Amino acid sequence: MISALSKEFFLFLSKNRTLNRAAKKWGLKLGASQVVAGNSIEAMIVKVRELNEKDLVCTLDHLGEFVSSKEEAATATAAAIRTLEAIEKEGLNSHLSVKLTQLGVDIDREFCVNNMRSILETAQKFKNFVRIDMEDYLHYKITLNILQELRETFQNVGTVMQAYLFCAEEDMQKLQGIPLRIVKGAYKESPKVAFQHKKEIDENFMKLIKIHLLGGNYTAVATHDHHIIAKVKQFVEEQQIPRDQFEFQMLYGFRTEMQQSLADEGYKMRVYVPYGSDWFAYYMRRLAERPQNVSFALKGLFLK
């Protein structure tokens, strides 16, 4: 019965600031430890090294939500830079993912851009890559605008395109030459701006992947859907697209056998690895995407 709880319910919980604050004190509870790689950099390093040893590459996300001051955004920026420094020092095979809201875009746009520049300068020094995660539609246009501004100086930055958005194809055409992660989309958006049915989203997802690949662009296909993965594998084979032009991406803790299988087949398989104490909203969104993942929470109730 609990698995029948609606997507809207979990998304509602993900936006609850009180629960989010409380969760920082709980530690990784409710099964979150299965999908979040620890509270600290030290714990994260252990997990990423284990993945790298299995020929799985990573992208790291130091979790953070509800940033409401420049001080909090500066702290998040410093954490992102420390993550890049840890990747370099420990010799980890990993990129970095960041959210503009965490870096203060809702507080002061230029302040946020300057924070991004600091992060990208560090990544550039280490010859690393930073992905700007796409958030809800409210932040969609400003994310694309900031990306294009940053690309005037930095080539080591890309973003995410969400296939459920009507405007995704048109906007993607403006991002030629920019590495993109293509996803279906994890937020609940209005039918005025986004497809609402799985069939339509899946069709647009494959359409975007094909367009980006055929344009010669580096493409990260982010999905746990084995049907989509099989179609992508068939398409790149038919079109003779080299394997160094694309990669598959999945979330830490999900479909681990498939992740390993793709790596064993010689595909680049990147695992999105979140870590940090601010885990609650991220975890609720994962439950919203697939209510059957509530089994994680049930198991977590019995973890000591």
Side-chain angles (χ1 to χ4, degrees):
M1 182 174 68
I2 195 167
S3 64
L5 290 172
S6 69
K7 176 177 182 176
E8 288 79 7
F9 175 72
F10 287 113
L11 288 176
F12 169 77
L13 292 180
S14 76
K15 297 174 183 178
N16 188 298
R17 292 172 182 259
T18 301
L19 287 175
N20 192 73
R21 285 193 298 269
K24 291 180 182 180
K25 302 176 183 177
W26 299 341
L28 293 173
K29 300 293 186 181
L30 306 176
S33 61
Q34 299 177 65
V35 298
V36 177
N39 285 324
S40 66
I41 282 184
E42 292 75 19
M44 170 274 290
I45 288 170
V46 172
K47 298 298 185 182
V48 172
R49 186 169 284 125
E50 289 174 357
L51 292 167
N52 286 171
E53 288 172 354
K54 297 176 182 178
D55 294 324
L56 298 164
V57 299
C58 299
T59 187
L60 282 162
D61 177 11
H62 184 263
L63 295 170
E65 306 273 345
F66 309 121
V67 169
S68 57
S69 71
K70 286 189 174 182
E71 290 75 17
E72 289 174 325
T75 298
T77 302
I81 290 172
R82 285 197 303 273
T83 301
L84 286 167
E85 292 171 341
I87 291 169
E88 178 69 11
K89 179 182 178 182
E90 300 295 330
L92 304 177
N93 191 339
S94 181
H95 292 165
L96 177 72
S97 288
V98 297
K99 290 179 174 60
L100 294 185
T101 53
Q102 193 179 5
L103 303 180
V105 73
D106 291 336
I107 302 164
D108 183 324
R109 183 189 187 280
E110 291 312 305
F111 173 72
C112 174
V113 170
N114 288 334
N115 287 337
M116 271 301 307
R117 290 186 185 280
S118 297
I119 292 168
L120 289 171
E121 285 168 1
T122 302
Q124 187 170 261
K125 179 174 67 175
F126 296 144
K127 297 181 172 57
N128 210 333
F129 179 82
V130 179
R131 178 92 57 189
I132 300 174
D133 282 343
M134 190 61 74
E135 302 180 68
D136 58 12
Y137 189 71
L138 179 66
H139 297 94
Y140 176 72
K141 290 297 184 182
I142 193 170
T143 299
L144 294 186
N145 290 338
I146 288 176
L147 170 70
Q148 291 174 319
E149 180 179 340
L150 292 168
R151 288 285 299 189
E152 293 175 5
T153 307
F154 300 97
Q155 297 303 299
N156 62 327
V157 60
T159 191
V160 181
M161 192 56 61
Q162 299 161 313
Y164 61 7
L165 295 180
F166 298 148
C167 60
E169 181 180 352
E170 179 182 352
D171 287 333
M172 195 175 71
Q173 299 285 14
K174 303 171 187 175
L175 302 176
Q176 286 295 310
I178 299 178
L180 294 179
R181 175 196 296 148
I182 303 179
V183 303
K184 294 185 182 182
Y187 296 85
K188 182 173 176 58
E189 302 293 0
S190 164
K192 295 180 180 179
V193 301
F195 295 110
Q196 302 296 305
H197 302 294
K198 182 180 185 302
K199 183 174 184 295
E200 295 174 314
I201 296 169
D202 286 356
E203 288 174 353
N204 204 44
F205 189 36
M206 276 304 304
K207 183 178 183 180
L208 297 182
I209 292 166
K210 291 177 179 179
I211 290 172
H212 205 56
L213 284 170
L214 291 175
N217 303 289
Y218 192 85
T219 306
V221 179
T223 182
H224 301 116
D225 187 332
H226 59 280
H227 298 295
I228 295 287
I229 290 170
K231 290 178 181 179
V232 171
K233 289 163 72 173
Q234 180 180 352
F235 178 76
V236 297
E237 182 85 14
E238 292 172 350
Q239 298 297 319
Q240 298 183 321
I241 292 170
R243 290 194 179 186
D244 61 3
Q245 192 192 319
F246 70 96
E247 63 187 49
F248 292 107
Q249 294 191 358
M250 296 187 198
L251 300 173
Y252 175 76
F254 293 91
R255 307 213 72 167
T256 54
E257 290 183 4
M258 185 186 298
Q259 292 178 17
Q260 191 62 61
S261 177
L262 287 166
D264 292 344
E265 290 174 39
Y267 294 100
K268 179 174 280 190
M269 175 64 238
R270 189 175 303 277
V271 184
Y272 184 100
V273 182
Y275 80 99
S277 61
D278 200 356
W279 55 269
F280 184 78
Y282 171 84
Y283 185 45
M284 289 301 104
R285 286 196 296 273
R286 299 293 76 78
L287 295 181
E289 286 173 343
R290 300 180 73 227
Q292 56 265 49
N293 291 336
V294 175
S295 61
F296 282 129
L298 287 175
K299 293 175 183 176
L301 290 174
F302 301 99
L303 294 178
K304 300 295 184 182

